[in-house]
C-alpha cells in the first residue's frame, strides 16, 4: 500500500475545509461579543489604553516552549510607540512605550504570522487596548484591540465602522466608570 498522492491529499483537505469552514466561522462569530459589549469589556480589562504612533517595529526571536514556537523560539515584533493621548493607565502624552505582538519577520531568519493578532505598522496611529502578557506589554483581544486612526477617526470591530476619536474616548471612559 502506498501513500496517497499530493493531489489526492489536497482534494481531501479542500473537501474537509469546505465542510467545516462555515461551521468554524459561525462558531467564531458566535463566540465574539457584540461590538458595544466587547468595547466595554476591553476598556475595563485593559491595563493601559492609549492613542499612539508606531515609531519603529523590529522582529525578534524570543525563547518559548509553546506550540507556536519554532525550535524553542517564538517570533515576536517589538514596537516602539509615541503616546499621543492616554485614556487609562500610567502612560502620558509624550511617553514612549514598548509593545510586543506575536509574529513578525526577523531579518535573515524568516518570519511567522499568527492569525488574529494585532499587526502594527510604523508611521501609523492606533488606539490600543494594552495589558501585560508574559511580562511584556501587549495588545488585548488581538486585532480587535488595535484600532487604526486616520483623519481623527478610529475604525475596527468595536466602533462598527469609522468613528470620531471623541466618540470612542467617551465610550471607553463610560465603560471604565461603570460599576
Amino acid at each position: 500500500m502506498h501513500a496517497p498522492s499530493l493531489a489526492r491529499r489536497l482534494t481531501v483537505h479542500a473537501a474537509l475545509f469546505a465542510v467545516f469552514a462555515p461551521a468554524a466561522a459561525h462558531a467564531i462569530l458566535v463566540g465574539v461579543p457584540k461590538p458595544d459589549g466587547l468595547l466595554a469589556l476591553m476598556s475595563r480589562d485593559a491595563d493601559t489604553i492609549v492613542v499612539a504612533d508606531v515609531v519603529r517595529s523590529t522582529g525578534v526571536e524570543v525563547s518559548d516552549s509553546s506550540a507556536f514556537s519554532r525550535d524553542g523560539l517564538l517570533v515576536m515584533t517589538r514596537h516602539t510607540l509615541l503616546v499621543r493621548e492616554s485614556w487609562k493607565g500610567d502612560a502620558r502624552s509624550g511617553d514612549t512605550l514598548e509593545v510586543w505582538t506575536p509574529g513578525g519577520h526577523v531579518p535573515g531568519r524568516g518570519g511567522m504570522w499568527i492569525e488574529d493578532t494585532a499587526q502594527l505598522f510604523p508611521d501609523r496611529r492606533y488606539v490600543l487596548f494594552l495589558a501585560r502578557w508574559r511580562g511584556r506589554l501587549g495588545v488585548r483581544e488581538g486585532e480587535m484591540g488595535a484600532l487604526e486612526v486616520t483623519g481623527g477617526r478610529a475604525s475596527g470591530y468595536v466602533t462598527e465602522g469609522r468613528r470620531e476619536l471623541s466618540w470612542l474616548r467617551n465610550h471607553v471612559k463610560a465603560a471604565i466608570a461603570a460599576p
Side-chain angles (χ1 to χ4, degrees), residues 80-101:
T80 303
L81 307 177
L82 177 60
V83 176
R84 297 299 181 182
E85 296 180 36
S86 179
W87 297 352
K88 183 179 182 184
D90 296 331
R92 298 291 168 246
S93 180
D95 286 355
T96 300
L97 295 179
E98 183 176 271
V99 171
W100 294 75
T101 56

Side-chain angles (χ1 to χ4, degrees), residues 2-168:
H2 64 281
S5 70
L6 177 59
R8 172 125 173 96
R9 285 184 299 197
L10 289 175
T11 302
V12 169
H13 287 296
L16 289 171
F17 181 75
V19 169
F20 291 114
H26 177 71
I28 290 168
L29 289 176
V30 169
V32 176
K34 291 184 178 186
D36 58 338
L38 184 58
L39 178 58
L41 176 73
M42 290 183 349
S43 298
R44 285 190 303 270
D45 291 349
D47 299 324
T48 303
I49 303 172
V50 295
V51 178
D53 296 332
V54 178
V55 176
R56 180 176 38 262
S57 297
T58 307
V60 296
E61 290 178 318
V62 295
S63 296
D64 185 71
S65 60
S66 73
F68 294 113
S69 67
R70 179 181 54 203
D71 302 325
L73 297 172
L74 178 66
V75 175
M76 301 276 296
T77 301
R78 179 178 51 223
H79 306 278
T80 303
L81 307 177
L82 177 60
V83 176
R84 297 299 181 182
E85 296 180 36
S86 179
W87 297 352
K88 183 179 182 184
D90 296 331
R92 298 291 168 246
S93 180
D95 286 355
T96 300
L97 295 179
E98 183 176 271
V99 171
W100 294 75
T101 56
H105 179 77
V106 177
R109 297 276 297 158
M112 178 184 294
W113 179 74
I114 300 175
E115 190 173 358
D116 297 328
T117 60
Q119 293 188 11
L120 308 177
F121 299 97
D123 302 321
R124 293 191 188 172
R125 182 170 290 178
Y126 298 89
V127 174
L128 297 166
F129 295 79
L130 306 170
R132 293 273 165 205
W133 177 72
R134 295 188 178 188
R136 296 180 171 101
L137 201 56
V139 179
R140 285 194 52 82
E141 310 304 328
E143 62 190 7
M144 289 187 238
L147 309 175
E148 188 166 0
V149 178
T150 54
R153 294 174 173 262
S155 59
Y157 176 76
V158 296
T159 58
E160 298 183 271
R162 290 175 45 85
R163 300 282 188 145
E164 293 289 333
L165 275 180
S166 59
W167 178 93
L168 183 57

